[in-house]
C-alpha cells in the first residue's frame, strides 16, 4: 500500500541553524501539507501546496519557513534560522485531490529538537 | 473561527471495556468531521469520517455520529482491545476556497491493559 515517508525521523539542531525536513508524498497525489505538533499541544496546520505554489499558510508560517517540491517526488520544509520554539513533531500529508471527503495521508513525522 | 475540543487524556481501560472519547467543535461553515489514530511510531491514520449531520462513521468497531445540534462527534467502541492503544485525534475540515486543511483537537492517549 502506498504511503507517505518522511526523513529524518529525528533531527537535532542548534538554535539559528537551518534545517530541511523531507517528505515523499504518495505518487499520484496533488495536494501537500505540513502540520506540526508541539509536545502536549494540538496538531497545527502550517502550509498547503499545490501546482508548485503555496495554496494557504497559517500565521505560524512566517518568513523563516519555506516549502519546495524540487524534483516532482520530494516535498521539503525548510526552516532558515531555527528557534527553540520550533521544537516539535512535523507531519507531512498528501491527498489525491482537493475534496473535503478525501482522506489526507500522513507520514510518520520528523521530531525536531532545537537546542 | 474553527476549533476542536476533545477530552483530556490519558485514558486507561481494561480489555473489553466500553470506550467513549468526547469531541465537540465550532465551525464557521459546514464541516466534515474525522477521527484520526496514531499508533506508536507511526503517522496519523484516518479511522472514520462523517460529512453531514446524522451521518455515522464506523471502522474497526469504532463509531461516531455527526450531531449538528450538539456540535459533537464522540468516538465510541463497545469492547476495546490491547491493540487499540494509541492516540486518537478528532478533526474537522471546512470548505474555505483554500486547501481544506484539517483542524485538530489535542489528542487523547488511550491505553488498554490486558
Amino acid at each position: 500500500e502506498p504511503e507517505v515517508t518522511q526523513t529524518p525521523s529525528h533531527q537535532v539542531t542548534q538554535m539559528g541553524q537551518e534545517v530541511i525536513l523531507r517528505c515523499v508524498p504518495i505518487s499520484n497525489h496533488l495536494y501537500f501539507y505540513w502540520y506540526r505538533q508541539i509536545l502536549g499541544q494540538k496538531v497545527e496546520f502550517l502550509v498547503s501546496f499545490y501546482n508548485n505554489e503555496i495554496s494557504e499558510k497559517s500565521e505560524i508560517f512566517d518568513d523563516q519557513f519555506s516549502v519546495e517540491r524540487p524534483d516532482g517526488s520530494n516535498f521539503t520544509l525548510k526552516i532558515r534560522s531555527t528557534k527553540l520554539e520550533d521544537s516539535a513533531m512535523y507531519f507531512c500529508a498528501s491527498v489525491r485531490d482537493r475534496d473535503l471527503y478525501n482522506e489526507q495521508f500522513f507520514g510518520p513525522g520528523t521530531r525536531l529538537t532545537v537546542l | 473561527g474553527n476549533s476542536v475540543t476533545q477530552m483530556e487524556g490519558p485514558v486507561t481501560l481494561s480489555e473489553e471495556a466500553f470506550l467513549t472519547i468526547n469531541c465537540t467543535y465550532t465551525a464557521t461553515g459546514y464541516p466534515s468531521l474525522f477521527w484520526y489514530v496514531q499508533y506508536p511510531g507511526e503517522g496519523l491514520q484516518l479511522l472514520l469520517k462523517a460529512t453531514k449531520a446524522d451521518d455515522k462513521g464506523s471502522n474497526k468497531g469504532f463509531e461516531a455520529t455527526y450531531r449538528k445540534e450538539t456540535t459533537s462527534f464522540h468516538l465510541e467502541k463497545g469492547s476495546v482491545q490491547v491493540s487499540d492503544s494509541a492516540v486518537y485525534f478528532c478533526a474537522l475540515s471546512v470548505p474555505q476556497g483554500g486547501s481544506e486543511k484539517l483542524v485538530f483537537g489535542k489528542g487523547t492517549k488511550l491505553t488498554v491493559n490486558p
Side-chain angles (χ1 to χ4, degrees):
Chain A
E1 187 173 329
E3 59 182 14
V4 177
T5 59
Q6 290 185 244
T7 55
S9 57
H10 191 188
Q11 172 91 45
V12 180
T13 190
Q14 296 291 324
M15 191 170 57
Q17 294 297 302
E18 175 184 286
V19 294
I20 297 176
L21 310 183
R22 290 184 167 79
C23 168
V24 179
I26 294 172
S27 62
N28 63 346
H29 284 191
L30 301 177
Y31 292 84
F32 314 110
Y33 305 80
W34 283 101
Y35 294 84
R36 79 171 186 190
Q37 185 181 31
I38 295 172
L39 188 63
Q41 298 187 25
K42 297 185 178 189
V43 176
E44 303 170 289
F45 167 78
L46 292 178
V47 65
S48 60
F49 192 85
Y50 168 70
N51 200 25
N52 280 321
E53 60 183 27
I54 291 173
S55 305
E56 186 178 355
K57 59 183 181 179
S58 72
E59 292 175 354
I60 302 166
F61 195 89
D62 61 22
D63 291 344
Q64 292 300 312
F65 291 87
S66 63
V67 288
E68 195 177 33
R69 190 157 159 79
D71 56 14
S73 61
N74 289 284
F75 178 51
T76 61
L77 174 69
K78 181 193 289 187
I79 309 175
R80 287 189 186 82
S81 179
T82 50
K83 303 187 281 286
L84 294 176
E85 53 265 37
D86 293 327
S87 295
M89 181 73 88
Y90 288 80
F91 294 104
C92 172
S94 70
V95 68
R96 182 168 48 84
D97 51 49
R98 195 180 79 195
D99 186 307
L100 274 183
Y101 317 127
N102 280 342
E103 175 181 356
Q104 288 189 23
F105 288 81
F106 283 79
T110 293
R111 180 170 297 284
L112 176 65
T113 302
V114 182
L115 302 176
Chain B
N2 302 315
S3 66
V4 173
T5 302
Q6 60 181 105
M7 67 186 269
E8 296 283 332
V11 174
T12 302
L13 297 173
S14 298
E15 208 164 22
E16 299 183 3
F18 184 84
L19 169 71
T20 300
I21 301 177
N22 290 337
C23 171
T24 57
Y25 67 89
T26 57
T28 53
Y30 196 90
S32 290
L33 302 174
F34 306 84
W35 278 99
Y36 276 80
V37 59
Q38 185 180 30
Y39 299 103
E42 299 184 17
L44 299 162
Q45 301 173 25
L46 180 66
L47 180 61
L48 53 83
K49 66 182 179 186
T51 57
K52 60 183 189 294
D54 300 325
D55 267 2
K56 179 187 282 188
S58 61
N59 186 24
K60 299 181 182 179
F62 290 89
E63 292 182 341
T65 301
Y66 189 143
R67 300 284 188 205
K68 193 162 184 274
E69 64 277 12
T70 54
T71 62
S72 65
F73 193 55
H74 304 321
L75 183 69
E76 296 182 336
K77 186 174 186 183
S79 176
V80 293
Q81 306 300 312
V82 172
S83 56
D84 294 327
S85 297
V87 181
Y88 292 82
F89 294 90
C90 185
L92 65 80
S93 182
V94 179
Q96 291 179 313
S99 56
E100 282 70 47
K101 63 181 182 288
L102 291 166
V103 176
F104 286 91
K106 262 190 162 183
T108 302
K109 183 175 181 180
L110 170 67
T111 301
V112 180
N113 295 317

